[in-house]
Amino acid sequence: MKLYSNPASPFARKVIVGFWEVNAINEVEVINVIGNPVDSGDIPITENPLGKLPTLVGTPFGTLYDSRVITQFIDRHCDGDLYPSSNLFETMKMEALADGIMDAAVLMTYEKRVRSEDKQSKVWVDGQWVKINRSLDALESNAKEFLNSSFNIAHIALGSALGYLDFRHSDRAWRSGHPKLNEWCEEISQRPSMVATKPE
Ligand code: BEZ
C-alpha cells in the first residue's frame, strides 16, 4: 500500500502512527507530496478528487481517504484495537474532537500561507483559536479518565493535534493553563510511533 502524506500534516501523522501502533508500518510505503487548498500540487487527484492528504492507495477496497476512514481500515485490516468496542462511541467522539482541533489549526496555517497579508482575517484566525482553546479547556477539566485509558485512536489523534500546535502555532503557548494535557503529551511523545513521526 502507498500512503500519500506530508511530514507536516497532523492528519497524515495520525494515520502513520496508526500503522505503527498496530505493528504494520512495514505494510505501507509513505510518499511525501506537497499541495494546499488552492493548488493540489503533486497530491494524486486521480486517486482523491478532493486533492487532500492522507490518501491510501492499494488497499483491498481500493483507494481510501480521509484519515478516519483509513484508521478504521487499518484497525480492521491489521486486527488492532484502535477502536475498542467496549468504548466505541466515546472513542470516536474524542477522535472527532482531536480532528476538529487539527482542522482549526490547519485552517489558521493556511489563512496566513495562502492569503496575502491584506486579505487575512484576524477575527477569523482568532475564532479558530477560540475553538481550539475551548476544546483544550474541556479536555483539561473532564478528560482524566480518557487521558489515562489504554492508547487508542483518540489518543493518537490528540497527540498529533497537540504536536501540530507545537509545530505551527507555538506562539499560542497551548501548554500554559493545560498542565494535565501538557504532562500527558510529554509522556506519549516518547512512544516510538510519535518519535518517528514528529514534524520538523
Ligand atoms: C502544514 O505545512 O502545516 C501542512 C501541510 C500539509 C497538510 C496540513 C498542514
Side-chain angles (χ1 to χ4, degrees):
M1 292 180 283
K2 289 180 200 267
L3 180 74
Y4 289 93
S5 178
N6 181 286
S9 164
F11 293 101
R13 185 182 191 192
K14 175 185 155 192
V15 163
I16 297 171
V17 172
F19 273 110
W20 270 90
E21 293 289 339
V22 300
N23 296 315
I25 193 63
N26 294 331
E27 289 193 34
V28 68
E29 179 190 353
V30 176
I31 301 173
N32 287 325
V33 290
I34 295 176
N36 67 46
V38 293
D39 177 1
S40 57
D42 48 4
I43 299 171
I45 49 174
T46 48
E47 300 293 348
N48 179 349
L50 294 169
K52 284 180 140 188
L53 303 171
T55 295
L56 182 65
V57 175
T59 82
F61 309 102
T63 297
L64 296 178
Y65 48 85
D66 57 4
S67 75
R68 284 188 228 183
V69 174
I70 298 174
T71 50
Q72 295 255 4
F73 162 75
I74 294 170
D75 202 37
R76 289 179 198 205
H77 178 69
C78 305
D79 202 18
D81 200 20
L82 298 178
Y83 291 88
S85 55
S86 58
N87 207 12
L88 184 59
F89 283 95
E90 180 66 14
T91 300
M92 292 198 303
K93 182 180 82 174
M94 296 311 257
E95 179 188 17
L97 184 65
D99 283 3
I101 294 173
M102 291 184 214
D103 265 330
V106 169
L107 287 173
M108 287 169 70
T109 302
Y110 281 130
E111 177 73 5
K112 297 215 163 138
R113 191 179 295 166
V114 172
R115 282 184 197 265
S116 57
E117 212 163 327
D118 58 314
K119 298 231 168 62
Q120 289 170 19
S121 164
K122 182 171 171 352
V123 172
W124 194 87
V125 170
D126 287 347
Q128 300 306 316
W129 184 254
V130 167
K131 286 178 199 287
I132 294 171
N133 207 35
R134 199 164 50 216
S135 304
L136 299 181
D137 286 349
L139 283 159
E140 182 73 20
S141 340
N142 304 322
K144 190 160 176 264
E145 203 179 319
F146 161 66
L147 293 179
N148 292 328
S149 60
S150 68
F151 201 68
N152 63 42
I153 193 61
H155 302 100
I156 293 174
L158 182 58
S160 303
L162 297 177
Y164 188 75
L165 297 182
D166 283 333
F167 180 55
R168 288 285 187 226
H169 303 294
S170 57
D171 56 316
R172 301 272 181 173
W174 71 265
R175 290 164 192 273
S176 142
H178 303 109
K180 288 186 205 138
L181 275 181
N182 174 34
E183 193 186 332
W184 177 84
C185 188
E186 288 299 307
E187 194 184 312
I188 60 110
S189 297
Q190 312 300 319
R191 294 176 83 92
S193 59
M194 298 302 287
V195 172
T197 57
K198 188 172 178 211
E200 47 201 347

